[in-house]
Structure formats: structure tokens, C-alpha cells
Amino acid sequence: MFIIKLGGSVITDKTKQQCFKEDVMDDLAEAIKKANKETILVHGAGSFGHILAKKYELNNGYKNDDQLHGFSVTHKMVQSLNSLVLKSLHKNDIPAVSLSPHSILKLNDHKILEFNYKIFNAYLEQHFTPVTFGDVVLDKKLGFSICSGDLLVMALAEYFKPEKVIFAIDEDGLYDANPKINKNAEFIDSTTLEELEKFITTADKHDDVTKGMEGKVDTIKNIAELGIDTVLVNGNKPERLYQLMVGKDTKCTIVNGRK
Ligand code: IPE
């Protein structure tokens, strides 16, 4: 089984509010259909979630009643992105079913408190493709907060122990420095948890891309600890996702799980 996260910056234009990249999503859906493997899909919120979530400061929990409006409209937006993703999957004949995080899980201070994993199992058993996404959710300590797609991937990976976790991102994979500012940055095609730790301590923590990468690396480290391989692949090149899913070589970064 595969757990695949389609990053918000792949399926939306993060700089423009509610801008869905339909063509990219259609190509990814076609690749997933062609690979024909048991899959759980998770997608990010991109510009459908982050802009509003920031405006209403939803990640730090309840402060005032205005945020209740913020929570509901943010939820509506990510749900509408989810509908667009489902439409694309259905067009490609994938029996995708949406599982909204806000109704199947609860956090406590940003950590998973309750999660209805059984519903994923039940749909998989019937050969459906469950689809979940970064959402606003209830939080026991904070009232509410945000459940990112990465947190969902981690929790699902721990429960389902998939063959691979795949992150479709808007880069080819990991580099040893920021490729946007360092011409000598070298591409990492395969690495281990131990090497990744070294790499992060030597990385320049002041540039944005590295910071973004650092967050992702934390998620990957947690997955690698479970003994599961994680792959970062360019979501704008759907043929790479297909090749990965059918076990062919392709350009990507593989982080080997701890053996
Ligand atoms: C964020 O989800 C959810 C909300 C802002 C409501 P993600 O963190 O998984 O989204 P991306 O992949 O960064 O866009």
C-alpha cells in the first residue's frame, strides 16, 4: 500500500487565493490510476487554507468569537478544494471517497488524541480510495487548531505501515543546500535517517526554503523511525510518481526507513 501526499503547492498556486491547478491534478490522477495500487491519498490546503487560517490565527486555538466564523469559512474552502480533487480523481475513474479530518479525528495541543482509522480500513476493504486533507479540527486543549496533511500522513503511516510514503512536492527532492540560491547545491537521491540528521544541523537555518524543508524533514524523520521508506518526488512531473509506484527508477529522493 502507498500513502501519498499531494502538497498544497503542487495542486494550488500558493500565491493566489483559491487557485486550483486542475491540469496538474488531472495528470497526477491519471498517473495514480495507471499505477493501479492500493492507496490512501492526502492533500494539502495550499491557498485554499493557509491564507484564511493565518488571517484568523486558527492554529493557536480559540481567542475570540470572530474565529468561529474563520474556522467555518476555512473549513468550507478546504472542503471545496477537496471536491475539486475528488472531481479530478473521478474523471480518471478512481473510486475516491472523502474523509474530512474535522469529523473523524480530534487533537490535543496539536497532537492526535482520537482518530477513526477503522473508517479508512473499511473503505479500503471495499476497494475505495480514501482521500483526506489538511483541515481545521477540534483540539481538546486549544478549542480548535489545524491538522496538517503531514500530521495525517504520519498518523496513517504508523497505523497502516505502507510500502512507501510518497510526498509529491514542487521540487525534484532534497538538496544539501538551497538550490534556489546555491548553484553548487547537490541533489540527494538516497539517504538515511542518520545522514538526514547531520544534513539538517549543517543546513543554513535562515533561508526560507531550508526552513520549509526542515519542517518536512521532521515529518520524514518520524516516518523513517517507523522503518518505512519515504520518497520526495516532483508532483509537477506525474510520470515520476507513476514510475515510483510501479517500482521503476526515477528522479526523486528516497529516505530509507530505520532497519
Ligand atoms: C494545512 O494543510 C491545512 C490548513 C491550513 C487548514 P497542509 O499543511 O497539509 O497544506 P499544504 O500542503 O502546506 O498546503
Side-chain angles (χ1 to χ4, degrees):
M1 181 221 265
F2 292 93
I3 294 179
I4 303 176
K5 179 179 173 198
L6 308 175
S9 48
V10 173
I11 59 167
T12 77
D13 182 339
K14 272 204 167 174
T15 61
K16 296 188 197 125
Q17 202 152 349
Q18 293 127 53
C19 181
F20 178 55
K21 294 198 208 154
E22 189 179 348
D23 294 349
V24 176
M25 185 60 228
D26 284 352
D27 291 348
L28 287 165
E30 197 185 332
I32 294 165
K33 172 67 186 175
K34 200 161 83 165
N36 191 26
K37 302 279 181 189
E38 187 180 47
T39 303
I40 295 178
L41 283 175
V42 179
H43 67 80
S47 55
F48 285 68
H50 285 284
I51 298 169
L52 284 167
K54 195 168 169 195
K55 178 175 170 199
Y56 290 96
E57 294 176 42
L58 299 177
N59 203 24
N60 298 324
Y62 177 84
K63 284 196 202 91
N64 59 61
D65 279 356
D66 271 358
Q67 289 175 301
L68 303 186
H69 174 72
F71 182 101
S72 353
V73 290
T74 307
H75 173 66
K76 188 197 133 220
M77 281 303 168
V78 290
Q79 192 88 64
S80 67
L81 172 62
N82 179 247
S83 296
L84 294 168
V85 170
L86 285 190
K87 192 173 162 198
S88 172
L89 295 167
H90 294 164
K91 249 196 291 186
N92 284 281
D93 213 16
I94 296 173
V97 174
S98 168
L99 295 172
S100 288
H102 82 100
S103 58
I104 55 166
L105 70 80
K106 191 168 180 183
L107 300 182
N108 185 27
D109 202 12
H110 304 289
K111 295 191 182 68
I112 304 251
L113 178 68
E114 294 160 17
F115 195 169
N116 183 2
Y117 297 101
K118 283 191 189 147
I119 188 89
F120 285 85
N121 244 338
Y123 277 113
L124 287 168
E125 275 170 17
Q126 299 292 318
H127 307 289
F128 286 103
T129 300
V131 183
T132 189
F133 51 92
D135 196 3
V136 282
V137 296
L138 292 171
D139 185 304
K140 190 173 174 217
K141 178 158 181 231
L142 305 169
F144 47 75
S145 62
I146 288 173
C147 179
S148 71
D150 284 16
L151 183 59
L152 291 163
V153 169
M154 261 194 290
L156 290 165
E158 192 168 357
Y159 186 84
F160 286 100
K161 303 276 186 321
E163 180 183 330
K164 274 188 180 61
V165 167
I166 302 175
F167 287 97
I169 59 172
D170 65 348
E171 297 272 354
D172 285 339
L174 287 178
Y175 291 81
D176 66 353
N178 181 352
K180 289 187 177 121
I181 52 174
N182 187 339
K183 271 198 294 198
N184 298 324
E186 272 188 42
F187 188 71
I188 302 169
D189 46 23
S190 175
T191 184
T192 60
L193 187 58
E194 292 75 17
E195 276 172 13
L196 206 61
E197 260 155 14
K198 260 188 270 156
F199 155 66
I200 277 309
T201 51
T202 54
D204 175 10
K205 297 195 185 215
H206 299 289
D207 75 76
D208 274 343
V209 173
T210 309
K211 246 196 247 158
M213 216 142 76
E214 246 181 281
K216 181 69 75 203
V217 166
D218 276 343
T219 306
I220 297 169
K221 281 203 270 189
N222 287 323
I223 298 168
E225 289 285 3
L226 302 166
I228 300 164
D229 295 346
T230 305
V231 188
L232 297 172
V233 66
N234 196 331
N236 298 307
K237 310 261 157 90
E239 68 284 0
R240 296 187 186 171
L241 176 63
Y242 167 75
Q243 283 155 351
L244 252 177
M245 291 180 79
V246 297
K248 291 192 183 145
D249 281 349
T250 194
K251 179 148 185 153
C252 62
T253 299
I254 301 183
V255 183
N256 297 295
R258 199 190 282 288
K259 293 289 172 274

